[in-house]
Amino acid sequence: MNWKLIVAVTVLTLPAIGHADGHWGLESSTLTYHISHPLHQIDGISHAARGQGTCHEGQCDFLIAAPVKSFDSGDSNRDLHMLQVTRGGQYPIVTVRTRLPESSSASSAISADLDIQFAGQTVHYANVRLEQTGEGKLRRITGIVPSTVSDFKIDPPSLLAVPIKNEMPVKVEMTWRSE
Amino acid sequence: MNTPAANDSAPSLGDLGFSPEQTQGSAADQAQLDKRSHMLKIHQRWGLATTVPMIATLLVAPSNKSNTSARTLHAVLGGITGDMYFTTAFYAIRAPRIPGTKDKGPIRVHKILAWIHGPGMILTPILGAMADEQRNAGQKVHGIASFHGPVASITIAAYLASILAVSIKF
């Protein structure tokens, strides 16, 4: 009888031992890319990102992902061109991965190394400065990823034979909830 | 420092609730986007090029006392404009539609204006031919043919506005 109890307890507790220590869920987000052209200043916005963070042994792994087609610049024709030049048909999701120390949830400034997968390329951005506010279970993270069109080997789109500028900063505003 | 690394505990796209259909791209979808962009680039180039004979046609528009050769030059330039215009339109009409896309922004104005300059590009040469016939018969241009100039002007204005609508942010 006792061995049955031991097996039952072991089976029930093993997943808990192997389970991550902490968990974060992305509650809301606004991702905004900005591109410049002599005739236009364009902001494409997505509120469709999903994200999770799992913490284990003092380290938290975060994944944030958004469909490329969810970015809205206010012009459906331009958005479809964006989808084409960024190879969004073939690579429909943009993902951001980062690993942060669990203790950083208490810091107002975070320096994060980001791996961004977009347009079929994975680009590493080191020491991206993020600001953090909030307390309790909620954290608001803001920052700018200094990405460029050439980082992702994107042919710069042009209008009237003039291409857009290479800089393509992405403003990040996210609210995370500790679960 | 904070090196992102994939490990067993790191979340996956599946954990975020994305289905495999959402995360796996398709070469066919990309090919359709490529074809659409390619055709619309040609549409843009032909559209801009069409403004040259269009404006030239307007500039050589014959006056009331014009001779036959002036009217012929006007008609030839108008014919070139029409051919280039309908080539431009072909590439826009035949470009693949992407399912689930709703027109938004300046492209809506661009497309609405096509309902003005499109019929205008059909009507203008018909009215022009009628006016030319009346002139050749020694008559003063009259009836519906007298609308050739105003219809052409509205057509050109709508055409140039449709280019500006997608070029300049108002």
Side-chain angles (χ1 to χ4, degrees):
Chain A
M1 197 67 166
N2 277 349
W3 67 269
K4 280 185 181 173
L5 185 65
I6 292 165
V7 169
V9 169
T10 309
V11 166
L12 289 171
T13 53
L14 263 180
I17 292 165
H19 198 267
D21 305 325
H23 190 95
W24 291 88
L26 183 61
E27 189 149 281
S28 64
S29 67
T30 303
L31 306 177
T32 309
Y33 73 79
H34 181 85
I35 52 174
S36 300
H37 183 274
L39 294 175
H40 293 274
Q41 295 296 317
I42 296 142
D43 290 307
I45 300 170
S46 172
H47 300 291
R50 300 177 194 177
Q52 266 189 23
T54 52
C55 302
H56 191 68
E57 292 175 355
Q59 293 290 319
C60 298
D61 289 296
F62 287 90
L63 170 65
I64 302 121
V68 180
K69 68 177 177 188
S70 67
F71 285 86
D72 181 356
S73 71
D75 181 339
S76 56
N77 188 48
R78 179 167 52 222
D79 292 338
L80 284 173
H81 277 305
M82 182 278 281
L83 201 57
Q84 187 263 330
V85 296
T86 61
R87 303 178 281 279
Q90 217 159 358
Y91 308 104
I93 304 278
V94 52
T95 65
V96 182
R97 289 176 200 277
T98 189
R99 172 177 271 193
L100 295 168
E102 201 164 3
S103 57
S104 63
S105 67
S107 313
S108 61
I110 300 170
S111 177
D113 286 1
L114 309 177
D115 274 343
I116 301 184
Q117 254 187 333
F118 175 50
Q121 306 293 320
T122 301
V123 179
H124 182 78
Y125 293 95
N127 301 322
V128 175
R129 294 276 301 171
L130 302 170
E131 304 295 324
Q132 181 174 229
T133 55
E135 55 187 23
K137 286 182 174 292
L138 290 179
R139 293 287 184 282
R140 182 177 155 78
I141 307 277
T142 56
I144 292 175
V145 181
S147 53
T148 65
V149 172
S150 59
D151 285 345
F152 295 95
K153 298 184 170 53
I154 296 167
D155 284 335
S158 59
L159 177 64
L160 303 176
V162 182
I164 61 166
K165 283 187 185 171
N166 190 36
E167 288 75 23
M168 182 183 60
V170 179
K171 191 176 166 194
V172 177
E173 295 162 289
M174 299 180 291
T175 302
W176 290 85
R177 178 182 283 277
S178 171
E179 295 167 348
Chain B
M1 201 177 152
N2 309 319
T3 311
N7 66 34
D8 292 343
S9 68
S12 68
L13 286 173
D15 295 331
L16 301 186
F18 287 109
S19 66
E21 292 77 39
Q22 285 175 295
T23 58
Q24 280 163 16
S26 133
D29 286 352
Q30 187 61 42
Q32 195 179 36
L33 285 167
D34 290 343
K35 186 179 178 189
R36 177 186 177 277
S37 280
H38 176 69
M39 291 186 78
L40 292 180
K41 263 182 200 166
I42 297 174
H43 167 73
Q44 190 189 81
R45 285 176 195 156
W46 275 85
L48 286 171
T50 302
T51 59
V52 176
M54 185 180 274
I55 290 166
T57 307
L58 179 71
L59 292 176
V60 301
S63 63
N64 286 338
K65 292 172 184 170
S66 60
N67 57 28
T68 311
S69 62
R71 293 203 299 273
T72 303
L73 176 64
H74 178 68
V76 167
L77 284 169
I80 293 168
T81 304
D83 288 348
M84 290 178 72
Y85 175 89
F86 288 108
T87 304
T88 302
F90 169 82
Y91 281 100
I93 293 163
R94 297 293 293 170
R97 299 280 175 270
I98 306 300
T101 307
K102 200 176 171 192
D103 286 340
K104 190 176 175 185
I107 193 68
R108 287 187 68 198
V109 179
H110 186 74
K111 286 185 178 179
I112 288 166
L113 287 167
W115 288 100
I116 299 173
H117 60 70
M121 284 299 295
I122 296 168
L123 264 179
T124 302
I126 294 170
L127 297 175
M130 288 168 72
D132 190 48
E133 227 169 70
Q134 290 171 4
R135 282 277 175 77
N136 288 341
Q139 300 168 2
K140 199 179 172 206
V141 176
H142 60 276
I144 197 173
S146 60
F147 287 100
H148 170 66
V151 169
S153 301
I154 291 167
T155 302
I156 293 171
Y159 185 77
L160 296 177
S162 76
I163 293 176
L164 289 175
V166 288
S167 307
I168 295 167
K169 196 174 187 178
F170 294 100

PDB file of all heavy atoms in Angstrom, chain A residues 148-173:
ATOM      1  N   THR A 148      17.196  48.377 -38.571  1.00  0.00           N
ATOM      2  CA  THR A 148      17.300  49.015 -39.889  1.00  0.00           C
ATOM      3  C   THR A 148      16.773  48.043 -40.939  1.00  0.00           C
ATOM      4  O   THR A 148      16.675  46.831 -40.702  1.00  0.00           O
ATOM      5  CB  THR A 148      18.760  49.377 -40.250  1.00  0.00           C
ATOM      6  OG1 THR A 148      19.502  48.159 -40.384  1.00  0.00           O
ATOM      7  CG2 THR A 148      19.404  50.271 -39.214  1.00  0.00           C
ATOM      8  N   VAL A 149      16.445  48.607 -42.088  1.00  0.00           N
ATOM      9  CA  VAL A 149      15.919  47.809 -43.197  1.00  0.00           C
ATOM     10  C   VAL A 149      16.981  46.802 -43.664  1.00  0.00           C
ATOM     11  O   VAL A 149      16.683  45.633 -43.922  1.00  0.00           O
ATOM     12  CB  VAL A 149      15.492  48.748 -44.353  1.00  0.00           C
ATOM     13  CG1 VAL A 149      15.113  47.975 -45.596  1.00  0.00           C
ATOM     14  CG2 VAL A 149      14.332  49.642 -43.906  1.00  0.00           C
ATOM     15  N   SER A 150      18.231  47.265 -43.705  1.00  0.00           N
ATOM     16  CA  SER A 150      19.306  46.393 -44.205  1.00  0.00           C
ATOM     17  C   SER A 150      19.642  45.262 -43.233  1.00  0.00           C
ATOM     18  O   SER A 150      20.126  44.220 -43.658  1.00  0.00           O
ATOM     19  CB  SER A 150      20.557  47.221 -44.530  1.00  0.00           C
ATOM     20  OG  SER A 150      20.991  47.895 -43.378  1.00  0.00           O
ATOM     21  N   ASP A 151      19.380  45.462 -41.936  1.00  0.00           N
ATOM     22  CA  ASP A 151      19.617  44.383 -40.960  1.00  0.00           C
ATOM     23  C   ASP A 151      18.913  43.102 -41.399  1.00  0.00           C
ATOM     24  O   ASP A 151      19.406  41.999 -41.186  1.00  0.00           O
ATOM     25  CB  ASP A 151      19.050  44.758 -39.577  1.00  0.00           C
ATOM     26  CG  ASP A 151      19.904  45.785 -38.851  1.00  0.00           C
ATOM     27  OD1 ASP A 151      21.046  45.999 -39.273  1.00  0.00           O
ATOM     28  OD2 ASP A 151      19.402  46.366 -37.866  1.00  0.00           O
ATOM     29  N   PHE A 152      17.727  43.274 -41.966  1.00  0.00           N
ATOM     30  CA  PHE A 152      16.905  42.110 -42.314  1.00  0.00           C
ATOM     31  C   PHE A 152      16.932  41.815 -43.824  1.00  0.00           C
ATOM     32  O   PHE A 152      16.083  41.088 -44.331  1.00  0.00           O
ATOM     33  CB  PHE A 152      15.462  42.337 -41.829  1.00  0.00           C
ATOM     34  CG  PHE A 152      15.377  42.419 -40.329  1.00  0.00           C
ATOM     35  CD1 PHE A 152      15.394  43.642 -39.685  1.00  0.00           C
ATOM     36  CD2 PHE A 152      15.335  41.271 -39.561  1.00  0.00           C
ATOM     37  CE1 PHE A 152      15.355  43.729 -38.294  1.00  0.00           C
ATOM     38  CE2 PHE A 152      15.292  41.343 -38.175  1.00  0.00           C
ATOM     39  CZ  PHE A 152      15.310  42.575 -37.544  1.00  0.00           C
ATOM     40  N   LYS A 153      17.924  42.430 -44.496  1.00  0.00           N
ATOM     41  CA  LYS A 153      18.113  42.203 -45.937  1.00  0.00           C
ATOM     42  C   LYS A 153      16.826  42.462 -46.722  1.00  0.00           C
ATOM     43  O   LYS A 153      16.438  41.690 -47.611  1.00  0.00           O
ATOM     44  CB  LYS A 153      18.630  40.782 -46.200  1.00  0.00           C
ATOM     45  CG  LYS A 153      19.993  40.517 -45.562  1.00  0.00           C
ATOM     46  CD  LYS A 153      20.528  39.152 -45.923  1.00  0.00           C
ATOM     47  CE  LYS A 153      21.956  38.944 -45.520  1.00  0.00           C
ATOM     48  NZ  LYS A 153      22.297  39.215 -44.137  1.00  0.00           N
ATOM     49  N   ILE A 154      16.174  43.569 -46.365  1.00  0.00           N
ATOM     50  CA  ILE A 154      14.936  43.954 -47.052  1.00  0.00           C
ATOM     51  C   ILE A 154      15.297  44.960 -48.152  1.00  0.00           C
ATOM     52  O   ILE A 154      16.038  45.920 -47.892  1.00  0.00           O
ATOM     53  CB  ILE A 154      13.942  44.611 -46.056  1.00  0.00           C
ATOM     54  CG1 ILE A 154      13.504  43.595 -44.994  1.00  0.00           C
ATOM     55  CG2 ILE A 154      12.736  45.205 -46.775  1.00  0.00           C
ATOM     56  CD1 ILE A 154      12.787  44.213 -43.806  1.00  0.00           C
ATOM     57  N   ASP A 155      14.799  44.735 -49.343  1.00  0.00           N
ATOM     58  CA  ASP A 155      14.977  45.714 -50.413  1.00  0.00           C
ATOM     59  C   ASP A 155      14.159  46.942 -50.042  1.00  0.00           C
ATOM     60  O   ASP A 155      12.934  46.835 -49.912  1.00  0.00           O
ATOM     61  CB  ASP A 155      14.466  45.159 -51.751  1.00  0.00           C
ATOM     62  CG  ASP A 155      15.442  44.166 -52.340  1.00  0.00           C
ATOM     63  OD1 ASP A 155      16.632  44.253 -52.015  1.00  0.00           O
ATOM     64  OD2 ASP A 155      14.998  43.297 -53.122  1.00  0.00           O
ATOM     65  N   PRO A 156      14.809  48.103 -49.872  1.00  0.00           N
ATOM     66  CA  PRO A 156      14.025  49.259 -49.421  1.00  0.00           C
ATOM     67  C   PRO A 156      12.968  49.660 -50.454  1.00  0.00           C
ATOM     68  O   PRO A 156      13.295  49.880 -51.623  1.00  0.00           O
ATOM     69  CB  PRO A 156      15.068  50.369 -49.248  1.00  0.00           C
ATOM     70  CG  PRO A 156      16.277  49.903 -49.966  1.00  0.00           C
ATOM     71  CD  PRO A 156      16.227  48.415 -50.043  1.00  0.00           C
ATOM     72  N   PRO A 157      11.704  49.718 -50.039  1.00  0.00           N
ATOM     73  CA  PRO A 157      10.661  50.135 -50.983  1.00  0.00           C
ATOM     74  C   PRO A 157      10.880  51.588 -51.397  1.00  0.00           C
ATOM     75  O   PRO A 157      11.459  52.372 -50.637  1.00  0.00           O
ATOM     76  CB  PRO A 157       9.367  50.010 -50.179  1.00  0.00           C
ATOM     77  CG  PRO A 157       9.706  49.249 -48.962  1.00  0.00           C
ATOM     78  CD  PRO A 157      11.160  49.439 -48.714  1.00  0.00           C
ATOM     79  N   SER A 158      10.445  51.928 -52.590  1.00  0.00           N
ATOM     80  CA  SER A 158      10.614  53.304 -53.058  1.00  0.00           C
ATOM     81  C   SER A 158       9.282  53.852 -53.557  1.00  0.00           C
ATOM     82  O   SER A 158       8.381  53.100 -53.930  1.00  0.00           O
ATOM     83  CB  SER A 158      11.664  53.358 -54.169  1.00  0.00           C
ATOM     84  OG  SER A 158      11.262  52.540 -55.238  1.00  0.00           O
ATOM     85  N   LEU A 159       9.198  55.160 -53.490  1.00  0.00           N
ATOM     86  CA  LEU A 159       8.041  55.851 -54.049  1.00  0.00           C
ATOM     87  C   LEU A 159       8.579  56.930 -54.970  1.00  0.00           C
ATOM     88  O   LEU A 159       9.464  57.693 -54.568  1.00  0.00           O
ATOM     89  CB  LEU A 159       7.189  56.464 -52.925  1.00  0.00           C
ATOM     90  CG  LEU A 159       5.974  57.276 -53.380  1.00  0.00           C
ATOM     91  CD1 LEU A 159       4.966  56.402 -54.103  1.00  0.00           C
ATOM     92  CD2 LEU A 159       5.300  57.939 -52.186  1.00  0.00           C
ATOM     93  N   LEU A 160       8.072  56.958 -56.194  1.00  0.00           N
ATOM     94  CA  LEU A 160       8.553  57.887 -57.217  1.00  0.00           C
ATOM     95  C   LEU A 160      10.086  57.788 -57.336  1.00  0.00           C
ATOM     96  O   LEU A 160      10.787  58.780 -57.384  1.00  0.00           O
ATOM     97  CB  LEU A 160       8.114  59.326 -56.907  1.00  0.00           C
ATOM     98  CG  LEU A 160       6.603  59.536 -56.757  1.00  0.00           C
ATOM     99  CD1 LEU A 160       6.272  60.969 -56.358  1.00  0.00           C
ATOM    100  CD2 LEU A 160       5.859  59.180 -58.052  1.00  0.00           C
ATOM    101  N   ALA A 161      10.566  56.572 -57.347  1.00  0.00           N
ATOM    102  CA  ALA A 161      11.986  56.225 -57.545  1.00  0.00           C
ATOM    103  C   ALA A 161      12.889  56.622 -56.383  1.00  0.00           C
ATOM    104  O   ALA A 161      14.106  56.472 -56.458  1.00  0.00           O
ATOM    105  CB  ALA A 161      12.526  56.813 -58.848  1.00  0.00           C
ATOM    106  N   VAL A 162      12.324  57.117 -55.283  1.00  0.00           N
ATOM    107  CA  VAL A 162      13.138  57.486 -54.120  1.00  0.00           C
ATOM    108  C   VAL A 162      12.906  56.434 -53.020  1.00  0.00           C
ATOM    109  O   VAL A 162      11.779  56.251 -52.559  1.00  0.00           O
ATOM    110  CB  VAL A 162      12.757  58.889 -53.592  1.00  0.00           C
ATOM    111  CG1 VAL A 162      13.648  59.277 -52.416  1.00  0.00           C
ATOM    112  CG2 VAL A 162      12.836  59.914 -54.701  1.00  0.00           C
ATOM    113  N   PRO A 163      13.982  55.736 -52.590  1.00  0.00           N
ATOM    114  CA  PRO A 163      13.789  54.704 -51.560  1.00  0.00           C
ATOM    115  C   PRO A 163      13.603  55.299 -50.165  1.00  0.00           C
ATOM    116  O   PRO A 163      13.983  56.442 -49.913  1.00  0.00           O
ATOM    117  CB  PRO A 163      15.101  53.903 -51.621  1.00  0.00           C
ATOM    118  CG  PRO A 163      16.101  54.838 -52.181  1.00  0.00           C
ATOM    119  CD  PRO A 163      15.374  55.818 -53.052  1.00  0.00           C
ATOM    120  N   ILE A 164      13.037  54.482 -49.277  1.00  0.00           N
ATOM    121  CA  ILE A 164      12.894  54.919 -47.881  1.00  0.00           C
ATOM    122  C   ILE A 164      14.271  54.919 -47.214  1.00  0.00           C
ATOM    123  O   ILE A 164      15.207  54.294 -47.715  1.00  0.00           O
ATOM    124  CB  ILE A 164      11.932  53.991 -47.096  1.00  0.00           C
ATOM    125  CG1 ILE A 164      12.461  52.556 -47.047  1.00  0.00           C
ATOM    126  CG2 ILE A 164      10.528  54.051 -47.660  1.00  0.00           C
ATOM    127  CD1 ILE A 164      11.768  51.665 -46.040  1.00  0.00           C
ATOM    128  N   LYS A 165      14.373  55.609 -46.079  1.00  0.00           N
ATOM    129  CA  LYS A 165      15.637  55.625 -45.333  1.00  0.00           C
ATOM    130  C   LYS A 165      15.881  54.253 -44.713  1.00  0.00           C
ATOM    131  O   LYS A 165      14.936  53.501 -44.466  1.00  0.00           O
ATOM    132  CB  LYS A 165      15.587  56.684 -44.231  1.00  0.00           C
ATOM    133  CG  LYS A 165      15.780  58.093 -44.738  1.00  0.00           C
ATOM    134  CD  LYS A 165      15.880  59.043 -43.551  1.00  0.00           C
ATOM    135  CE  LYS A 165      15.951  60.479 -44.039  1.00  0.00           C
ATOM    136  NZ  LYS A 165      15.824  61.435 -42.922  1.00  0.00           N
ATOM    137  N   ASN A 166      17.130  53.980 -44.424  1.00  0.00           N
ATOM    138  CA  ASN A 166      17.495  52.662 -43.887  1.00  0.00           C
ATOM    139  C   ASN A 166      17.009  52.459 -42.442  1.00  0.00           C
ATOM    140  O   ASN A 166      16.676  51.354 -42.043  1.00  0.00           O
ATOM    141  CB  ASN A 166      19.021  52.503 -43.957  1.00  0.00           C
ATOM    142  CG  ASN A 166      19.449  51.090 -43.658  1.00  0.00           C
ATOM    143  OD1 ASN A 166      18.779  50.126 -44.031  1.00  0.00           O
ATOM    144  ND2 ASN A 166      20.565  50.940 -42.972  1.00  0.00           N
ATOM    145  N   GLU A 167      16.930  53.535 -41.679  1.00  0.00           N
ATOM    146  CA  GLU A 167      16.527  53.407 -40.270  1.00  0.00           C
ATOM    147  C   GLU A 167      15.066  52.975 -40.159  1.00  0.00           C
ATOM    148  O   GLU A 167      14.205  53.512 -40.866  1.00  0.00           O
ATOM    149  CB  GLU A 167      16.722  54.732 -39.514  1.00  0.00           C
ATOM    150  CG  GLU A 167      18.162  55.087 -39.242  1.00  0.00           C
ATOM    151  CD  GLU A 167      18.900  55.590 -40.472  1.00  0.00           C
ATOM    152  OE1 GLU A 167      18.226  56.073 -41.418  1.00  0.00           O
ATOM    153  OE2 GLU A 167      20.139  55.465 -40.517  1.00  0.00           O
ATOM    154  N   MET A 168      14.819  52.021 -39.295  1.00  0.00           N
ATOM    155  CA  MET A 168      13.442  51.529 -39.099  1.00  0.00           C
ATOM    156  C   MET A 168      13.253  51.223 -37.596  1.00  0.00           C
ATOM    157  O   MET A 168      13.093  50.070 -37.184  1.00  0.00           O
ATOM    158  CB  MET A 168      13.235  50.265 -39.940  1.00  0.00           C
ATOM    159  CG  MET A 168      11.850  49.683 -39.877  1.00  0.00           C
ATOM    160  SD  MET A 168      11.727  48.141 -40.833  1.00  0.00           S
ATOM    161  CE  MET A 168      12.924  47.074 -40.038  1.00  0.00           C
ATOM    162  N   PRO A 169      13.325  52.277 -36.752  1.00  0.00           N
ATOM    163  CA  PRO A 169      13.201  52.022 -35.315  1.00  0.00           C
ATOM    164  C   PRO A 169      11.825  51.463 -34.960  1.00  0.00           C
ATOM    165  O   PRO A 169      10.820  51.844 -35.568  1.00  0.00           O
ATOM    166  CB  PRO A 169      13.411  53.413 -34.688  1.00  0.00           C
ATOM    167  CG  PRO A 169      13.094  54.376 -35.770  1.00  0.00           C
ATOM    168  CD  PRO A 169      13.445  53.714 -37.068  1.00  0.00           C
ATOM    169  N   VAL A 170      11.817  50.571 -33.997  1.00  0.00           N
ATOM    170  CA  VAL A 170      10.543  49.985 -33.550  1.00  0.00           C
ATOM    171  C   VAL A 170      10.334  50.362 -32.080  1.00  0.00           C
ATOM    172  O   VAL A 170      11.147  50.023 -31.215  1.00  0.00           O
ATOM    173  CB  VAL A 170      10.537  48.448 -33.711  1.00  0.00           C
ATOM    174  CG1 VAL A 170       9.216  47.876 -33.217  1.00  0.00           C
ATOM    175  CG2 VAL A 170      10.776  48.056 -35.159  1.00  0.00           C
ATOM    176  N   LYS A 171       9.260  51.112 -31.866  1.00  0.00           N
ATOM    177  CA  LYS A 171       8.922  51.521 -30.495  1.00  0.00           C
ATOM    178  C   LYS A 171       8.103  50.410 -29.842  1.00  0.00           C
ATOM    179  O   LYS A 171       7.154  49.902 -30.444  1.00  0.00           O
ATOM    180  CB  LYS A 171       8.123  52.821 -30.549  1.00  0.00           C
ATOM    181  CG  LYS A 171       7.923  53.494 -29.230  1.00  0.00           C
ATOM    182  CD  LYS A 171       7.210  54.823 -29.458  1.00  0.00           C
ATOM    183  CE  LYS A 171       6.695  55.375 -28.155  1.00  0.00           C
ATOM    184  NZ  LYS A 171       5.736  56.461 -28.390  1.00  0.00           N
ATOM    185  N   VAL A 172       8.508  50.066 -28.646  1.00  0.00           N
ATOM    186  CA  VAL A 172       7.873  48.945 -27.944  1.00  0.00           C
ATOM    187  C   VAL A 172       7.198  49.459 -26.673  1.00  0.00           C
ATOM    188  O   VAL A 172       7.826  50.157 -25.881  1.00  0.00           O
ATOM    189  CB  VAL A 172       8.952  47.902 -27.560  1.00  0.00           C
ATOM    190  CG1 VAL A 172       8.350  46.770 -26.764  1.00  0.00           C
ATOM    191  CG2 VAL A 172       9.668  47.384 -28.798  1.00  0.00           C
ATOM    192  N   GLU A 173       5.930  49.167 -26.535  1.00  0.00           N
ATOM    193  CA  GLU A 173       5.209  49.487 -25.286  1.00  0.00           C
ATOM    194  C   GLU A 173       4.440  48.236 -24.889  1.00  0.00           C
ATOM    195  O   GLU A 173       3.569  47.785 -25.642  1.00  0.00           O
ATOM    196  CB  GLU A 173       4.227  50.638 -25.521  1.00  0.00           C
ATOM    197  CG  GLU A 173       4.900  51.955 -25.874  1.00  0.00           C
ATOM    198  CD  GLU A 173       3.948  52.949 -26.512  1.00  0.00           C
ATOM    199  OE1 GLU A 173       3.539  52.721 -27.676  1.00  0.00           O
ATOM    200  OE2 GLU A 173       3.591  53.926 -25.852  1.00  0.00           O
TER     201      GLU A 173
END
